Each structure stands twice: as C-alpha cells, then as structure tokens.
Amino acid sequence: MLVSALPSLLLLLLLSFTVRTWTSRPARVYLSYKELMESRTARFFSFGFNTSDYRILFLDQDQDRMYVGSRDYLVSMDLGNINREPLIIHWPAAPSRQKECLMAGRGRADECANYLRVIQPLNRTHLYACGTGAYQPQCTLIYRGWRSEDYVFRIISGSHESGKGRCPYDPKQENMATIIDGVLYAGVQVDYMGTDSAVFRTMGHKLPIRTEQYDSRWLNDPVFVGSLVVSESSFKEDDKLYILFRERSLEGESGPAMVSRIARICLNDEGGMRSLVGKWTSFLKARLVCSVIGPDGVETSFDQLRDIFIQQTQDKQNPLIYGVFTTLGSVFRGSAVCVFSLADVRAVFNGPFAHKEGHGYQMTAYTGKTPYPRPGAVRYVTTV
Ligand SMILES: *[C@@H]1O[C@H](CO)[C@@H](O)[C@H](O)[C@H]1NC(C)=O
Ligand SMILES: *[C@@H]1O[C@H](CO)[C@@H](O)[C@H](O)[C@H]1NC(C)=O
C-alpha cells in the first residue's frame, strides 16, 4: 500500500544556474601549484607517512579544528595553522582481516585497507568514526577532549563495533552519514557485494529503520552525495532529514539513464506495522532537475548530481542547496551549478504525487484521492 504510494515527484524548479562549459575553457578553475602558492592564500601541509585517499574533511568550528580521514589515518588539524603539530590516529585494519581480504581476491586496487568514510561529532567530547576495514566496515569512538587546548585525540579502547549499515565495504562506493542527537543516519551499501543500498538509521535511543530492501522504487543503485537536517517548525517532532543522491532512472527508454534526487525522512519516524516494521513510513523522493535551454532552443540536461553545498539563509527553515551536476551523455560533456531553495523543494513534497500506471514505463501524475495520513507526513507518536 504504502510503497505504491511512493512518489517520484518532478522537481522543476530552477532558480538560477550558471553553465560554464559553453566556452572551450575547462569547467573547473585551474590553478597550478606555483600560482596557488603565489596567491598567498594556501598553506602547504604534508603528511610524513604512507597514506592516500583523503576523503573526509570535517570542519569542527567549536574546537577550531579540521578532521581529515584517509587510508588508515585520522588527523586533527589546527584550523589557525595546519602545520602546528597535527594530532594523528593510525587505525589500520587488523592484519588477519587484511590477509582474508587479499585471499578473497579484493586487493587489486589497494582495497584491503581501512578507508575512513565517516567522521562525525557524537557529543562535546567524542567523535564517531568508521572505515571500510578491509571489506569489513568498523566503527569506533574517539576522544577529542573538551577544548582544543586539551590536545587529545585517541581511540577509546574497547569501543570498536561493526560498521555494517553505517559505512560501505568497498572504498570506491560513495556514502553519506550524519549523526543527529546521537543517532546515525547513513546512505550506504549494506552488504559485501554492494547490491543492497539503503538509507539506514542506527545507534542511540531510536529503533533501527531502513528503506525497503531490493526495491528499485525506493532506491535504484543510488550514489549518495550528501544530506541536510532542517527544523521545519518550532516543534522538534517536525525535524526532517533531506538526502541527496543520484540513481538509475526507472523511466526506461523515454528518460535519462540516471536522475538526481532529493529524498526526505522524518527524524521521529518509528517505522511501519506488519511488513513495514523497521521500514521508513515517511520516505519520499523527488527529482532534481538541472537543465538549460540553449539559444537554439535545445535543452541540455545535467542529470548527475556530484556534490552539494548548503548555504544557510536568515530563514533557518529555508536554506539554499547548491548542486554541482554533470551531463550523462558522451556527446556533450559539461557541468553546471543549480541552486534550489528548500521552500520550493518543500512545496514539491507537499504537491501531487507521481505513480506508474499499469506496466508502462512512464511516471504520471496520481489523480486519485490522496490517502490519509498523507504519505510522507510526520506522525506524532503518542504514548498511552
Ligand atoms: C604504502 O601503502 C601501500 C598500500 O598499502 C603499499 O602497497 C606500499 O607498498 C606502501 N609503500 C611504502 C613505501 O610503504
Ligand atoms: C559522549 O559520548 C560518550 C560515548 O557515549 C560518553 O562516554 C561521554 O560521556 C559523552 N560525553 C558527554 C560530554 O556527554
């Protein structure tokens, strides 16, 4: 019932965009190392040891530090001067696990190491970090002290736990993770083979919840890009998490092969009943369209969301989402930045649903009566 009501709304709101690739210049501003140093805006930091794949850069404004995650290492840097004695944690996968990983034939591209994929503050004094653990994801607590001056950064011994559903197995997979009030929300491939993708809620005081398993209407080979949490009213129960990703389209021949999405869940979702126990009842998704009509009237679509930046505005409930998109086709390669206002995104989520009628491929507007409670609505849990 609920799944069939899962919409795939078309978000046709493009507030502004800049398309940079109509000229022959490369899409990205390019600075040589020499030019960068001459600009006197950059500082050089080099790591004295063997690592790679700096994936996570997490800015901690409370303590004026930046946490960096790479292969087998976590580093805490002083934002004022990144060369001032960085604090370093070496966290490799266990040698026995590395051996197993290599024996399973996974080691071709250096995959049998611990690639850091999650670093999130858990509270004032602790961080939560996860890595791929040589194809066996693992998480741990890290103590960072109360203040920057405490100068501590260490793994809490005995805090290691499985990172399944929190961190991918495969270092090549993109994931999303955010901790809100001690609860981890992750967009991740849950299994070793990387075929079971989910938006997963684990940890803390809430029940574990996920998206339906192996159902392409919920998620279809998604690549997670980022998320933002928004207080939608003065009631905490209304808080929502928006998740941005791209996925394979279900439109078949008639549409692009991939589409970009924004999905939404309520943080207070307790899951459904019967077959929907442990599944989101509030999950909705809409399409993010980023396209431009050229002077010749031809529309160019940028269907692949690559990265996002959230700009807070004076209106806390309505931040701006900047998305970097690229084209799909091989004929025209280009990139674009599209900006979406959360107010418009919200209007789409409050608007009509799309559904698939019969066996056709086309998604069409749902014209029937909207069920009550409205799919995706926050449900207020009352304890009797
Ligand atoms: C650095 O690490 C890689 C991957 O673990 C390894 O293959 C390489 O031999 C190491 N290099 C040195 C100099 O230790
Ligand atoms: C932060 O969380 C850790 C792990 O749950 C806990 O041991 C610690 O006391 C907490 N610190 C604060 C300041 O709440």
Side-chain angles (χ1 to χ4, degrees), residues 114-136:
N114 188 31
Y115 289 85
L116 268 291
R117 290 294 179 262
V118 178
I119 302 179
Q120 286 281 306
L122 184 62
N123 59 27
R124 276 289 301 278
T125 50
H126 289 68
L127 301 175
Y128 192 74
C130 307
T132 58
Y135 267 88
Q136 193 173 75

Side-chain angles (χ1 to χ4, degrees), residues 262-291:
I262 184 163
R264 186 178 86 177
I265 50 183
C266 303
L267 298 190
N268 83 340
D269 196 330
E270 295 301 326
M273 311 240 261
R274 288 184 281 276
S275 68
L276 290 171
V277 167
K279 309 284 160 54
W280 298 106
T281 63
S282 59
F283 182 88
L284 292 180
K285 65 181 180 181
R287 184 164 164 204
L288 283 171
V289 176
C290 180
S291 74

Side-chain angles (χ1 to χ4, degrees), residues 320-338:
L320 294 174
I321 304 167
Y322 286 72
V324 179
F325 294 79
T326 57
T327 49
L328 260 178
S330 51
V331 182
F332 170 71
R333 281 175 198 278
S335 57
V337 176
C338 280

Side-chain angles (χ1 to χ4, degrees), residues 10-188:
L10 212 58
L11 188 67
L12 280 166
L13 297 150
L14 303 180
L15 295 186
S16 70
F17 40 70
T18 42
V19 179
R20 288 237 171 107
T21 35
W22 298 106
T23 65
S24 58
R25 288 221 322 266
R28 202 169 253 244
V29 176
Y30 180 83
L31 276 179
S32 70
Y33 177 70
K34 188 161 162 278
E35 286 167 329
L36 190 66
M37 292 321 279
E38 279 167 8
S39 75
R40 297 184 160 275
T41 56
R43 278 182 202 232
F44 181 77
F45 172 80
S46 95
F47 231 7
F49 30 81
N50 187 7
T51 188
S52 65
D53 200 271
Y54 300 95
R55 191 73 69 97
I56 296 175
L57 299 175
F58 187 91
L59 215 54
D60 173 4
Q61 271 154 343
D62 294 339
Q63 297 204 0
D64 276 337
R65 299 197 76 88
M66 182 169 72
Y67 305 116
V68 177
S70 68
R71 169 167 49 81
D72 295 343
Y73 287 95
L74 278 99
V75 184
S76 166
M77 293 172 166
D78 188 326
L79 271 185
N81 177 2
I82 57 167
N83 282 306
R84 188 187 302 151
E85 240 188 293
L87 300 164
I88 296 164
I89 291 173
H90 183 212
W91 185 29
S96 57
R97 182 57 220 159
Q98 286 183 46
K99 218 176 272 169
E100 281 167 24
C101 175
L102 288 168
M103 273 164 54
R106 285 294 192 176
R108 281 181 302 278
D110 256 0
E111 296 144 302
C112 294
N114 188 31
Y115 289 85
L116 268 291
R117 290 294 179 262
V118 178
I119 302 179
Q120 286 281 306
L122 184 62
N123 59 27
R124 276 289 301 278
T125 50
H126 289 68
L127 301 175
Y128 192 74
C130 307
T132 58
Y135 267 88
Q136 193 173 75
Q138 50 178 351
C139 298
T140 193
L141 280 175
I142 288 165
Y143 183 61
R144 59 166 168 170
W146 284 93
R147 295 176 312 266
S148 190
E149 303 85 77
D150 291 354
Y151 231 72
V152 290
F153 196 54
R154 61 176 165 79
I155 285 181
I156 302 278
S157 61
S159 71
H160 278 41
E161 57 184 338
S162 164
K164 191 176 163 69
R166 301 176 185 184
C167 174
Y169 287 70
D170 182 345
K172 292 186 296 300
Q173 283 162 353
E174 306 282 337
N175 65 305
M176 174 290 286
T178 183
I179 291 183
I180 304 162
D181 294 334
V183 178
L184 181 82
Y185 298 80
V188 68

